Amino acid sequence: MATRPARPNLLPTRSSPDPRAHVGLSGRGEIGATAARPRVLKRAELPVDTAELARFLIGKMLVRTPAEGIAGGRIVETEAYVVGDPAGHAYRGMTPRNRALFLERGHAYVYLAYGVSFMLNVSSETPDVGAGVLIRAIEPTIGVTFMERNRGAERARDLARGPGRLCEALAIDRRLDGIDLCQSGPLWLGSDGQAPDEIGQSKRIGITRAADCPLRFYVRGNGFVSGPRTLNR
């Protein structure tokens, strides 16, 4: 007999500190109150393969450093758009808009979806091979006030649950397109040494081409993951 899916656990866990504990946009030296200070990921650590990179990024940190200080959180949901993927922006080749997808792995590809929301992707594979990983959600851990101000929302669960919300919360737009995420700068990928909880895998969300490919990765039971419960078991 079918059972009702378990409700997401919104309580803090070892890998999920309470985002409300960070009441401001913390300075660089104020990160470590409840978590280790993240370090910038080296490019050599990033898997070349797109699907492997999407899984690898679960549990890593996405860090934004605006003028006020620092903000960001733990990546809890990604989607891979692999080489030759008809749902990927690189499918028809390089254009001025998508050229960042063809850079060496670990660069930001930022685009505007439907003229409404920006989306952040991480380039993958080798130079001149177009593919990438969409960052779909983070669990906010640093600079929550900054994200609340950008989103006009106070419910921590909704600050960066979904790729459009994520970019709005962290003030990510086309000005960050093409930047190197493997070096200190306005936006970077990091690690605080914590392993993620159990990683789930499902089909991707909101696409029509290659819709059933199991290329979405997420932290099981994490309340900051987007999408329907049926895909988050």
Side-chain angles (χ1 to χ4, degrees), residues 133-232:
V133 174
L134 174 66
I135 308 299
R136 284 198 56 89
I138 65 169
E139 179 177 331
T141 59
I142 312 166
V144 171
T145 299
F146 174 77
M147 289 184 262
E148 287 176 343
R149 185 167 68 245
N150 290 337
R151 286 270 300 117
E154 295 184 356
R155 191 182 182 204
R157 182 173 182 258
D158 291 332
L159 288 178
R161 185 169 56 92
R165 290 174 175 175
L166 183 156
C167 285
E168 185 177 27
L170 293 178
I172 295 171
D173 58 26
R174 285 284 293 175
R175 290 174 293 183
L176 296 176
D177 182 56
I179 69 165
D180 190 346
L181 299 173
C182 294
Q183 64 179 24
S184 295
L187 184 67
W188 47 273
L189 295 168
S191 172
D192 61 3
Q194 292 192 27
D197 292 327
E198 184 181 359
I199 298 175
Q201 188 171 352
S202 79
K203 65 180 182 179
R204 295 174 293 189
I205 296 174
I207 60 174
T208 55
R209 295 182 177 181
D212 292 328
C213 292
L215 292 173
R216 173 178 171 265
F217 302 90
Y218 61 95
V219 177
R220 291 188 186 276
N222 187 287
F224 296 87
V225 171
S226 70
R229 290 184 180 181
T230 54
L231 292 183
N232 293 334

